């Protein structure tokens, strides 16, 4: 069975001249999906609906000290079966 959010994977490109709290924003080509920082919770979010000012997301990682979402120490949680589960 294919995972619920299998399409989150792929190549994201940095959005030029756009940051949140000094951290870059990335967009997946051909989609509305973006990776952005959510400062009130110190989390990186993957949002399939684009750049919204909310904490709704398909995946997140605690990112208090991570300068970018590909930081090796980040542990991602992906929405699956009604809850965010640790990404295998």
């Amino acid at each position: 069975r294919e995972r619920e959010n299998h399409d989150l994977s792929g190549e994201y490109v940095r959005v030029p001249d756009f940051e949140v709290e000094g951290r870059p924003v990335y967009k997946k080509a051909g989609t509305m999906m973006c990776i952005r920082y959510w400062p009130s919770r110190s989390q990186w979010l993957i949002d399939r609906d684009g750049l919204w000012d909310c904490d709704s997301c398909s995946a997140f990682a605690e990112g208090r000290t991570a300068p970018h979402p590909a930081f090796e120490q980040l542990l991602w949680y992906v929405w699956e079966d009604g809850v965010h589960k640790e990404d295998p």
Side-chain angles (χ1 to χ4, degrees):
R1 165 185 109 128
E2 201 165 49
R3 293 181 65 199
E4 185 176 343
N5 280 303
H6 69 279
D7 60 338
L8 296 180
S9 296
E11 185 177 344
Y12 289 75
V13 177
R14 188 173 180 166
V15 177
D17 303 319
F18 195 86
E19 294 182 342
V20 175
E21 297 278 323
R23 289 180 170 91
V25 173
Y26 300 86
K27 188 170 182 314
K28 186 175 180 183
T31 73
M32 295 287 295
M33 285 188 235
C34 72
I35 301 174
R36 60 185 171 82
Y37 188 70
W38 183 246
S40 67
R41 288 202 170 155
S42 301
Q43 294 176 331
W44 285 97
L45 308 180
I46 300 179
D47 188 344
R48 67 175 52 259
D49 297 321
L51 292 171
W52 293 97
D53 189 20
C54 69
D55 65 354
S56 176
C57 65
S58 298
F60 74 90
E62 301 296 336
R64 202 169 310 282
T65 60
H68 57 79
F71 199 63
E72 289 181 17
Q73 285 78 15
L74 286 179
L75 179 58
W76 284 90
Y77 294 86
V78 179
W79 186 259
E80 182 124 4
D81 300 323
V83 295
H84 281 104
K85 295 180 179 179
E86 186 176 322
D87 191 33

